[in-house]
Amino acid sequence: MRIKEEFSYFGKKLQRLCSRLRLKLVCYFRSTCFLIWRLYRHFRLRLNSLSVHLIYFISISFLGFWILKVLKPRTAGSFKPRNLDLFFTSVSAATVSSMSTVEMEVFSNTQLLILILLMFIGGEVFTSMVELHIRRFNLRRIIRNTERKIDRSSTGIINPSSSPPNSLELIELGIVVTEVDCLAKTTPDHNNQIEVHRRQMTTVESTSKSDMEDLDSNLKYNSIKLLSFVVMGYLLVINFVGVALVSVYLALVSSARNILKKKGLKLFTFSLFTVVSTFASCGFVPTNENMMVFRKNSGLLLILIPQVLLGNTLFPPFLRFSIWFFGKFVKKVRPSSDYLLAKTGDIGYHHLLPGLHSSLLVGTVVGFIGVQFTLFCSMEWDSVALSGLSSYQKVVGVLFESVNSRHTGETIVDLSTIASAILVLFVVMM
């Protein structure tokens, strides 16, 4: 009996201890959540866009560095990158600057996947998409708060039991108010009625104005919502199509596939890495020689050229075309599409340009590429840089080089073998 009593006693003590510990943990969790929420509200009201971007890129750079440091490189037995080199590579991938102090073939497949993620979330299209979603949520919150204020003010002025007057009643009410105002000096008993009529008229006018503002606000909110999802769809579709095309090409062309086997690179990892890097205008390639080992694979170069342009200078024109396309064939979003195409300045998204500017941008891109292509071919056609290539391969290679000199920086030639005049041309175009 004593043993049972002791066990029951200790059981009750343990139960009380657990319950107190649970209450303390719940209180601690609630306090932590409340503190985080207060800090979030505090900094949200005081941080500008520059500070948010700075904190974002510093955070993902340190996070990428920590993960790269934890993971083992491919050459762990013979060579291990220094912490400074890993941090520099992480910052370079997050800011899509494509500068590196370590050869890319040093990194393992898992580390390459981390670099892919850093390039993806650090690209201009992705960061602008996140900014759009944040603006959409903030605008929705402002609209809700405004609606609540209007409801409270209208409830405090108008009698809830009275129904709002129609248009004929408003006209008659205006006449009545005018007549009563004229007789106000001789009929003081009507003062209360005059005041009621005036309040009703003021409330109706303010309500109609607020309704118009609500319509504009809701249309702007729906337009920003459409724009954010169009940008997200554009980002995902272009990358998915690029990865699919590169994977199919590598699977069908044995010469390109053998290069990956010799270097120990997985087909899907190489496809995903190259497409994400090209679209984000980073220029990283998971080979030590960049794209020089694929200089004879013209099909691969032709697949990557649209990725370069669609992720950089041709993004605004194709974004506008995508919005027009959705508005043309999806009636539900046509008002939002028309609003986006007509009032690009009110949206505040710097990648959404007016129609004339988009057309001029396309002409400028084509013109600059044409100038580089012509000068490069005229000066380097028989040079050492393009030796060993057929005429078709030279044309595609020069086009690839001309497009990348203004965007990603990927190359199929050794820049040290190019004439100084072409290097100056590249500097001017960059």
Side-chain angles (χ1 to χ4, degrees), residues 110-384:
T110 309
Q111 288 177 320
L112 291 178
L113 294 177
I114 298 302
L115 292 177
I116 291 172
L117 180 62
L118 290 175
M119 290 186 294
F120 184 80
I121 64 178
E124 175 63 23
V125 179
F126 180 86
T127 54
S128 64
M129 180 198 67
V130 174
E131 185 178 356
L132 276 176
H133 282 284
I134 294 176
R135 287 184 56 195
R136 179 170 67 90
F137 289 131
N138 290 335
L139 183 59
R140 185 58 180 172
R141 178 178 55 83
I142 293 173
I143 292 175
R144 289 179 178 177
N145 292 337
T146 305
E147 290 176 350
R148 291 173 184 173
K149 291 179 180 179
I150 293 175
D151 292 339
R152 291 174 183 174
S153 60
S154 61
T155 304
I157 297 176
I158 300 178
N159 187 4
S161 61
S162 62
S163 59
N166 55 31
S167 58
L168 295 177
E169 291 175 344
L170 293 179
I171 297 174
E172 294 175 357
L173 185 59
I175 296 173
V176 171
V177 171
T178 304
E179 293 176 353
V180 174
D181 285 338
C182 295
L183 298 176
K185 297 180 180 180
T186 58
T187 55
D189 296 336
H190 292 89
N191 287 337
N192 294 332
Q193 184 179 0
I194 294 172
E195 187 66 23
V196 170
H197 288 321
R198 285 176 176 174
R199 289 182 179 181
Q200 287 180 344
M201 291 295 294
T202 304
T203 305
V204 170
E205 291 177 358
S206 61
T207 304
S208 61
K209 292 180 181 180
S210 63
D211 289 340
M212 294 297 295
E213 294 176 355
D214 289 342
L215 290 175
D216 293 338
S217 300
N218 289 327
L219 181 58
K220 185 175 182 179
Y221 168 78
N222 293 330
S223 301
I224 294 178
K225 181 180 179 180
L226 173 64
L227 179 60
S228 60
F229 283 107
V230 168
V231 174
M232 182 174 63
Y234 181 92
L235 174 66
L236 297 177
V237 169
I238 298 300
N239 280 278
F240 176 79
V241 173
V243 173
L245 292 177
V246 173
S247 300
V248 170
Y249 178 86
L250 294 175
L252 295 178
V253 180
S254 59
S255 59
R257 188 172 63 253
N258 292 333
I259 294 175
L260 298 184
K261 289 182 179 180
K262 292 179 182 179
K263 294 183 174 294
L265 296 173
K266 295 184 178 180
L267 187 148
F268 178 75
T269 302
F270 175 83
S271 303
L272 183 62
F273 190 102
T274 305
V275 170
V276 170
S277 175
T278 304
F279 182 82
S281 299
C282 181
F284 271 151
V285 179
T287 59
N288 295 338
E289 304 87 358
N290 204 276
M291 292 297 294
M292 286 188 288
V293 290
F294 299 102
R295 62 201 303 258
K296 295 185 178 181
N297 298 107
S298 301
L300 178 61
L301 302 181
L302 289 175
I303 293 173
L304 294 179
I305 287 175
Q307 295 287 326
V308 177
L309 297 174
L310 293 176
N312 200 290
T313 50
L314 290 187
F315 171 56
F318 275 85
L319 175 62
R320 186 177 180 85
F321 173 78
S322 301
I323 296 172
W324 173 85
F325 179 83
F326 275 99
K328 184 72 174 179
F329 296 98
V330 183
K331 294 182 179 181
K332 185 178 180 180
V333 300
R334 185 169 297 175
S336 300
S337 174
D338 294 339
Y339 183 86
L340 288 173
L341 297 177
K343 298 184 178 182
T344 56
D346 295 342
I347 299 299
Y349 186 61
H350 59 277
H351 291 298
L352 183 60
L353 301 179
L356 178 60
H357 292 180
S358 299
S359 302
L360 294 176
L361 180 59
V362 174
T364 303
V365 172
V366 175
F368 283 160
I369 293 176
V371 170
Q372 291 184 88
F373 179 82
T374 303
L375 294 178
F376 199 106
C377 288
S378 61
M379 299 186 65
E380 299 290 337
W381 187 262
D382 296 325
S383 65
V384 180

Side-chain angles (χ1 to χ4, degrees), residues 28-61:
Y28 176 77
F29 178 75
R30 291 179 178 176
S31 301
T32 304
C33 293
F34 178 76
L35 179 62
I36 294 175
W37 172 249
R38 296 296 297 178
L39 290 174
Y40 166 75
R41 288 179 59 87
H42 175 78
F43 286 107
R44 187 187 66 180
L45 296 175
R46 287 164 176 79
L47 292 178
N48 53 19
S49 179
L50 176 62
S51 301
V52 172
H53 279 77
L54 185 62
I55 294 174
Y56 173 76
F57 282 106
I58 291 177
S59 301
I60 63 175
S61 297

Side-chain angles (χ1 to χ4, degrees), residues 11-25:
K12 292 180 180 179
K13 286 288 187 180
L14 183 61
Q15 184 179 3
R16 293 177 181 175
L17 180 63
C18 291
S19 62
R20 291 178 180 177
L21 183 61
R22 183 177 62 84
L23 291 175
K24 290 183 178 181
L25 289 176

